[in-house]
Amino acid sequence: MQRITYRVKGSAQGAKRRISHLLRPSKRLLNTKSNIVSSTPTASGRFARTKKLAQVSSIALLSLPAQSLTTMNTKVSAYANVMLQNTLTIAAVPGDSTYFATDGFQHGFGFDLVRTYADELGVDINLKAYANEEAALKALRSGDADMALTTASTKLKSQLNLSSVNVSCGYDSSLTKNGLHPKVSWTFSSPNDPLSKKASYFLCDSIKLKNTQKLAAFYNQNLLKDAYSQDHFQKTLTEKLPDYQSSFEEQARNYNHDWELLVAMGYQESHLDANAVSPTGVRGLMMLTNNTAKAMGVSDRVDPYQSIGGGARYLEQMKAEFADVPKTDRVWFALAAYNMGPNAVKSIQRKLRAQGIDDKSWANVYAYLADNKASNSRYGQAMHYVSNIRSYLESIKTQTV
């Protein structure tokens, strides 16, 4: 079984431990730069872990309907283990509707939803990638994961005696109209486990369901589905990119960016046309305004190397403006700020904070843009700008066109 493991938020925990491991003496290795220190827990330490497990299990029991208490067996719930380990371990299959992870970029429709759920639980994520749905689901069944993120068929999940919750909570059209798989689901070992029940309440809450539908719009997969768009994109990359690739790569190194991200930005801005000019006066491959060009040290906006360098430097500044945003979302904040200015994005963040909403989540910022685009055209432009670049970047990296 081929498996690649990705860690989110620096989680140091491994696969889920069996309860028996908590009740007997064990050794834990602590890795430092050059030394490995072995320590054996004291009896009081083991007692503290066991006590914590009992407390978490009690919380899990209280979260269940009263009638289910009589049918509970003695097996520790997945929810209790997640809370004890402070880590939600996900078995996932890469895909355009689940998650995307290449060259330091880790995001995706299903992945962003899982991150939001983990944040609500107050735990980290340990993402394990599997080659196919069956392998991921078997990992869940064997206890190597707490839940699975897949597009597996109902038949396969039934054969493995697993239960699942569709992330759209039955509103499949909200996914299909955005080119996403209609059956993206979270799968669990038991429908009675609090982890599964809480997930169902989480996904089907009316407010969160609306946000899920907006997130689906951000991860729209239809941008390059029609023949004209595909042909134009491929022709541009084939005929124009070779002339500028070395400049993209060098300027990306200069400003610590992924060079293909800069290419995606260049395609969005000008379709890699170094002589492009807009009616508003922005010019060049990265379509810099005259003021931005001067601030970035660009003397000739139609010089490809200077234009790419100016765009790369400005993007670096935008990333620095949002250094407190988790890395997974920071690039989207930076791109939105690149398009509409950092103060506009920070204004949205302040409004979200005032409502008690996490202002460092791109999903929440995007939802705000979607809700208010009718009253502010800049919001709609920023939405399309960031989602288009995301789509181009994924296409370049996965070579789907």
Side-chain angles (χ1 to χ4, degrees), residues 223-236:
L223 183 61
L224 293 172
K225 288 293 178 69
D226 65 279
Y228 174 81
S229 297
Q230 285 187 27
D231 290 345
H232 188 276
F233 187 65
Q234 185 64 64
K235 184 177 181 180
T236 301

Side-chain angles (χ1 to χ4, degrees), residues 66-365:
Q67 63 268 26
S68 66
L69 295 178
T70 58
T71 61
M72 288 287 291
N73 56 31
T74 57
K75 183 179 179 180
V76 177
S77 70
Y79 174 78
N81 271 332
V82 167
M83 302 309 292
L84 179 65
Q85 303 298 331
N86 195 41
T87 302
L88 178 64
T89 300
I90 313 295
V93 179
D96 58 15
S97 302
T98 50
Y99 85 96
F100 175 87
T102 302
D103 294 342
F105 288 92
Q106 189 171 52
H107 58 92
F109 172 64
F111 176 68
D112 281 11
L113 287 176
V114 171
R115 280 198 302 125
T116 307
Y117 181 46
D119 287 344
E120 184 157 299
L121 294 176
V123 300
D124 295 340
I125 297 177
N126 175 22
L127 181 66
K128 296 181 176 181
Y130 291 83
N132 55 63
E133 278 85 1
E134 185 174 2
L137 294 178
K138 285 184 176 179
L140 169 65
R141 191 179 65 173
S142 67
D144 287 335
D146 304 307
M147 60 181 275
L149 169 64
T150 71
T151 57
S153 66
T154 302
K155 180 180 179 181
L156 177 58
K157 288 179 286 192
S158 178
Q159 289 174 344
L160 295 172
N161 196 28
L162 299 170
S163 64
S164 67
V165 182
N166 191 320
V167 299
S168 69
C169 204
Y171 292 90
D172 294 356
S173 61
S174 66
L175 304 187
T176 55
K177 73 179 182 181
N178 289 298
L180 297 168
H181 198 290
K183 297 301 180 184
V184 184
S185 63
W186 295 354
T187 305
F188 303 88
S189 295
S190 169
N192 295 318
D193 194 292
L195 191 66
S196 174
K197 289 181 176 293
K198 288 175 180 291
S200 180
Y201 297 145
F202 174 87
L203 290 169
C204 296
D205 173 83
S206 59
I207 295 176
K208 290 195 172 66
L209 186 57
K210 289 180 181 178
N211 288 340
T212 295
Q213 293 167 355
K214 292 165 188 170
L215 188 64
F218 173 64
Y219 282 106
N220 190 305
Q221 300 295 313
N222 293 324
L223 183 61
L224 293 172
K225 288 293 178 69
D226 65 279
Y228 174 81
S229 297
Q230 285 187 27
D231 290 345
H232 188 276
F233 187 65
Q234 185 64 64
K235 184 177 181 180
T236 301
L237 294 185
T238 302
E239 296 181 358
K240 294 185 177 181
L241 181 56
D243 294 336
Y244 310 129
Q245 182 167 334
S246 61
S247 295
F248 276 116
E249 292 176 343
E250 183 176 341
Q251 296 289 25
R253 288 192 298 270
N254 291 341
Y255 297 102
N256 194 32
H257 297 306
D258 183 301
W259 75 273
E260 289 171 320
L261 171 62
L262 296 182
V263 173
M265 292 175 64
Y267 186 82
Q268 170 65 25
E269 293 285 0
S270 68
H271 288 185
L272 302 187
D273 181 359
N275 298 306
V277 181
S278 83
T280 59
V282 294
R283 301 187 66 182
L285 198 151
M286 301 299 279
M287 297 297 274
L288 303 176
T289 65
N290 195 39
N291 289 338
T292 300
K294 288 181 179 179
M296 297 301 107
V298 174
S299 60
D300 184 357
R301 287 186 288 168
V302 297
D303 178 86
Y305 183 80
Q306 288 193 46
S307 182
I308 294 169
R313 183 179 178 186
Y314 189 54
L315 181 64
E316 180 191 40
Q317 291 185 4
M318 294 305 97
K319 283 184 178 180
E321 290 278 351
F322 299 93
D324 59 339
V325 172
K327 186 177 180 181
T328 306
D329 279 355
R330 192 178 307 153
V331 66
W332 311 137
F333 277 77
L335 287 171
Y338 188 103
N339 177 258
M340 65 189 301
N343 290 333
V345 178
K346 290 182 178 181
S347 175
I348 293 172
Q349 288 185 290
R350 287 193 294 271
K351 292 174 183 177
L352 292 176
R353 283 198 302 272
Q355 300 174 45
I357 299 173
D358 181 7
D359 66 308
K360 296 178 179 61
S361 163
W362 173 249
N364 292 338
V365 171

